[in-house]
Amino acid sequence: MSLLDMIGPVMIGPSSSHTAGACRLGLVAHHLLGEPPHRAVIGLHASFAKTGRGHGTHLALVAGLLGYRPDDPRLPRASLEAEAAGLTVEFRDVDLGDVHPNTAHIDLHGAEQAVTVQGSSTGGGVIRVTEVQGLGVNLSGASPTLLLRYADAVGMIARIASTVAADGVNIATLTCTREARGGQALLAIELDAPLSPEALAFLNRWPDMNWVRPLPKLMDG
Amino acid sequence: MTTLEDLMNAPAPASAWVLAQDCAETGLDPGAVCAEMARRIGEMRASIERGLKTDAKSITGMVGWNAKGLWDAPDVLGASLLKRVQAYAMAVNEENARMGRIVAAPTAGSAGTIPGALLGVADHLGLPDERLVDPLILAAGVGKAISKRMFISGAAGGCQAEIGSSAAMAAAAVTELLGGSPRACVHAASLALMNTIGLVCDPVGGYVEVPCVSRNAFFAVHAVSAAQLALAQLESFIPPDEVVMAMASVGRLMPAELRETAEGGLAQTPTGLAVTAHMEGRVEGELPGGMIELPVV
């Protein structure tokens, strides 16, 4: 949390947790999909479901899915913009269990790809992404982040880390979750700077790599 | 971990120390942070100007004309500073309530307190906006120190955590603007926070409108008042970090009904319940305060 997150974000009202944070959760899904979104199913939990509509939470989530940041003047008319962009969004009230009251589960589809993201808006526009593609993560969007999905095997993390190092980028945090030994693994790496397009392309070419997504820094500080 | 105690004992000006600490932690460039803060002061000023000119209704229609109404009204107390600070604060929160662009400081619900107090005092004294960058950095540093111990949202700890934090941040900023020492700045923050403890978050209908808009006006004045006390060398009897811990402990004791759920306080008055019923579409027709229909999402 930096000074610019404390005085900020510059945003469209009315609620930093229900609007700016919701927009950033939508942005995570937007970037992870990596292509224009066609259809979204958004599950709203607790406070998001109860008081979201009047706070513009629905609009902010859709704005994020379209790639708008929390201060984008198009945010209040995001539902019309979505219609124009060919994105249909369905909202559902859901019970996601013992999670933060401001939590959304986003299921986003494009022409080729699909992504699921679950995350919470914890106040002041700060977010915490807790699940990507059904696997646990712990991301704040405060740094550029790299997400990779592959079949668990000996040495994968070391090979990925050395590719990142060869690109001249420092790793801040690294979290790996896997379904089972030898099953699908999700590696989330928070970085000090974004990875170069060449390094991303190199990682994408690995035969055992299923999915590589760069997430830009979403916070201001 | 930076505490208010560290901040209080930092070399003057406190803002320079805050900036150096934060940039060392985040790797951001100090010049870039200052430039961005200057831009945010511009955003605060723009939201004040828009808010003072319009009486357009908010999303629900519960607020929207308060800032302009006060700004255009006679100065009955002969206290132009008071009126200015209140009008600025309400202008920002009404902009927020009508889906306008604002700077969350630290949250959107408390966005008017810092601009009300800081820009209000600066304009009253004829000080240029360039002078506000350092005080705003200090405000952020105070907010950061509070947020290490307590979430700053009403949902986490009631309005004391939200507007209490913004009032503390604003009090420190105004104190530095007026030449206060780091010690005076932190005591101003502590005095402001100490007198916010126990404040519940009870938004009518669940909207950031009532009592949020007028509450920002009150707490902007509260912050200026704390700065005045601290500049006269008055101090918080309870050490500042202990005040933060007390606020956090009260927040944890507070029932969920009083933490932004609209299940207690003003939200549960007969009028509050009527607003909720209308917003949920259970009641048709005219509503308290002449509310308008919600835009369809």
Side-chain angles (χ1 to χ4, degrees), chain B residues 89-104:
Chain B
M90 285 198 290
V92 174
N93 277 81
E94 286 190 320
E95 269 300 282
N96 181 55
R98 57 174 86 88
M99 292 288 275
R101 189 174 155 107
I102 53 96
V103 184

Side-chain angles (χ1 to χ4, degrees), chain A residues 109-182:
Chain A
H109 299 261
E112 308 275 323
Q113 305 273 336
V115 68
T116 66
V117 173
Q118 185 169 312
S120 313
S121 170
T122 62
V126 176
I127 59 164
R128 176 68 46 196
V129 179
T130 50
E131 218 182 277
V132 169
Q133 307 293 56
L135 288 169
V137 290
N138 182 10
L139 301 174
S140 68
S143 325
T145 304
L146 182 64
L147 285 111
L148 309 107
R149 204 152 188 257
Y150 51 83
D152 175 47
V154 174
M156 276 300 277
I157 294 177
R159 284 170 59 203
I160 294 164
S162 45
T163 304
V164 172
D167 205 36
V169 175
N170 192 29
I171 292 176
T173 72
L174 187 147
T175 323
C176 184
T177 8
R178 57 182 186 181
E179 286 165 345
R181 200 184 276 203

Side-chain angles (χ1 to χ4, degrees), chain A residues 4 7-8 11 13-14 50 55 71, chain B residues 40 96 100-102 104 206 263:
Chain A
L4 294 173
I7 302 290
M11 57 168 285
K50 264 192 190 172
H55 281 122
D71 67 341
Chain B
R40 286 174 189 197
N96 181 55
R101 189 174 155 107
I102 53 96
E263 288 169 352

Side-chain angles (χ1 to χ4, degrees), chain A residues 1-4 6-16 18 50 53-55 58-59 71 75 79 124 217 220-221, chain B residues 18 22 26 28 36-37 40 59 96 99-104 106-108 140-141 143-144 147 206-208 260 263 297:
Chain A
M1 175 81 75
S2 94
L3 299 176
L4 294 173
M6 209 40 86
I7 302 290
V10 179
M11 57 168 285
I12 306 292
S15 162
S16 38
H18 284 79
K50 264 192 190 172
R53 198 161 288 274
H55 281 122
H58 300 64
L59 291 170
D71 67 341
L75 191 148
S79 48
K217 178 171 151 173
D220 293 341
Chain B
V18 163
D22 194 66
T26 59
L28 294 172
E36 184 53 32
M37 283 295 182
R40 286 174 189 197
I59 297 175
N96 181 55
M99 292 288 275
R101 189 174 155 107
I102 53 96
V103 184
T107 64
K144 206 172 145 177
S147 71
Y207 293 86
V208 195
E260 212 190 332
E263 288 169 352
V297 177

